[in-house]
Amino acid sequence: WYIVVILVFTAFILFIIKTNKKYILHAVILFAVVATMYYVLIAFMSVVPAIILTLALAALLYKFPEWYVIDVTGILVGAGASAIFGISFEVIPTIIFLILLTVYDIISVYKTKHMIALAEGVMELHVPILFVVPKRKDYSFVKQDFSAKKDDGEEEERGAFFMGLGDAVMPTILVVSANVFLPVAYPDLPLMFGSVVLPAFLAAVGTLIGYAVLMVVVMGGKPQAGLPFLNTGAILGYVAGCLIAGIPVIPAMPVV
């Protein structure tokens, strides 16, 4: 069902972009961002400060959506989304979910290319559903003209790399899921840093390695599907962690 929801929402975004009603999409995304930021902040503070900080970030995001504002709010939103899905999916459903999304990402970027059209349409809204990595220190996301063309009709080189927020969230779901459900199935599993099981830690490391490889490939200048690199890294890291920890890759179901 989650795949169906993703497909439906993708179709909705593409429809909004093609009908030039981006203000609707802008409002929907901002509402989702504000709600998720509040969800994250309420875990660390009381209600009133969480509301105040959420509204302050929302106002800053609306009035001054510079790349560092986008990235900071993106981290908060990504953390909240990863936590929500991670505590909802057990490990094996999560891995299956990541594999399906990886296949979808490959098709949507390299075959149908509708994900590229979606990304280009959403970037103009300056909302935190992507991460911005500037190529130079004086880069301004607000001043970036995404429709600018060279004299020969080709797009001008952009001053930053862009990665969809979902590319960061999806592999992190496996990290959260492994850290939540594996200790239930294997109570004696040793913890790293006092709270992280080895498979979850190596899933995070694998994600970072996948990201490093992705950045090398992106240097070629062409849009790349991120999930094949990131999800693969996370899954391989998880598998390696299970093997090193001496537990099955497919965790046992806890006895209730």
Side-chain angles (χ1 to χ4, degrees), residues 90 177-189 197 252-256:
E90 293 191 15
S177 177
N179 208 53
V180 169
F181 292 103
L182 288 184
V184 176
Y186 306 99
D188 297 329
L189 195 62
V197 296
M253 296 295 292
V255 178
V256 180

Side-chain angles (χ1 to χ4, degrees), residues 150-235:
K150 296 180 180 178
D151 294 336
D152 57 5
E154 294 185 2
E155 288 188 358
E156 288 189 356
E157 182 180 356
R158 291 170 179 171
F161 295 111
F162 302 95
M163 186 179 79
L165 183 61
D167 290 338
V169 169
M170 296 308 166
T172 309
I173 294 174
L174 178 58
V175 176
V176 176
S177 177
N179 208 53
V180 169
F181 292 103
L182 288 184
V184 176
Y186 306 99
D188 297 329
L189 195 62
L191 300 177
M192 301 184 63
F193 310 110
S195 60
V196 182
V197 296
L198 183 61
F201 175 74
L202 290 187
V205 172
T207 301
L208 293 176
I209 294 174
Y211 175 74
V213 175
L214 174 62
M215 286 296 98
V216 173
V217 176
V218 167
M219 291 294 181
K222 294 183 179 180
Q224 301 292 332
L227 293 184
F229 298 91
L230 301 169
N231 284 356
T232 300
I235 293 172

Side-chain angles (χ1 to χ4, degrees), residues 3-250:
I3 296 293
V4 174
V5 171
I6 291 173
L7 292 174
V8 171
F9 190 65
T10 299
F12 167 73
I13 294 177
L14 290 172
F15 173 77
I16 292 297
I17 292 174
K18 288 185 177 181
T19 55
N20 200 28
K21 296 180 179 178
K22 294 182 181 180
Y23 62 91
I24 298 177
L25 181 60
H26 196 190
V28 170
I29 293 176
L30 281 181
F31 175 78
V33 166
V34 169
T36 307
M37 284 195 298
Y38 173 76
Y39 171 84
V40 173
L41 294 174
I42 196 65
F44 300 97
M45 58 188 71
S46 58
V47 174
V48 174
I51 292 176
I52 293 174
L53 186 53
T54 298
L55 293 178
L57 287 172
L60 186 62
L61 185 63
Y62 182 76
K63 290 292 187 179
F64 188 70
E66 196 48 89
W67 66 266
Y68 39 84
V69 177
I70 295 290
D71 286 352
V72 169
T73 52
I75 291 172
L76 290 175
V77 172
S82 300
I84 292 171
F85 286 104
I87 63 176
S88 303
F89 289 170
E90 293 191 15
V91 173
I92 296 306
T94 297
I95 291 177
I96 294 173
F97 184 53
L98 296 190
I99 292 173
L100 291 175
L101 286 177
T102 298
V103 174
Y104 170 68
D105 202 30
I106 292 173
I107 295 173
S108 63
V109 172
Y110 301 124
K111 186 68 175 177
T112 65
K113 300 185 185 298
H114 69 266
M115 191 60 70
I116 297 175
L118 184 150
E120 291 177 346
V122 170
M123 280 193 293
E124 297 176 0
L125 299 179
H126 299 105
V127 289
I129 59 173
L130 48 78
F131 287 111
V132 184
V133 183
K135 296 179 182 178
R136 58 181 188 273
K137 62 181 180 180
D138 62 341
Y139 172 76
S140 173
F141 185 53
V142 175
K143 297 178 181 179
Q144 173 78 62
D145 184 2
F146 293 101
S147 61
K149 302 284 185 180
K150 296 180 180 178
D151 294 336
D152 57 5
E154 294 185 2
E155 288 188 358
E156 288 189 356
E157 182 180 356
R158 291 170 179 171
F161 295 111
F162 302 95
M163 186 179 79
L165 183 61
D167 290 338
V169 169
M170 296 308 166
T172 309
I173 294 174
L174 178 58
V175 176
V176 176
S177 177
N179 208 53
V180 169
F181 292 103
L182 288 184
V184 176
Y186 306 99
D188 297 329
L189 195 62
L191 300 177
M192 301 184 63
F193 310 110
S195 60
V196 182
V197 296
L198 183 61
F201 175 74
L202 290 187
V205 172
T207 301
L208 293 176
I209 294 174
Y211 175 74
V213 175
L214 174 62
M215 286 296 98
V216 173
V217 176
V218 167
M219 291 294 181
K222 294 183 179 180
Q224 301 292 332
L227 293 184
F229 298 91
L230 301 169
N231 284 356
T232 300
I235 293 172
L236 291 179
Y238 164 78
V239 171
C242 288
L243 295 177
I244 295 172
I247 63 173
V249 173
I250 301 177

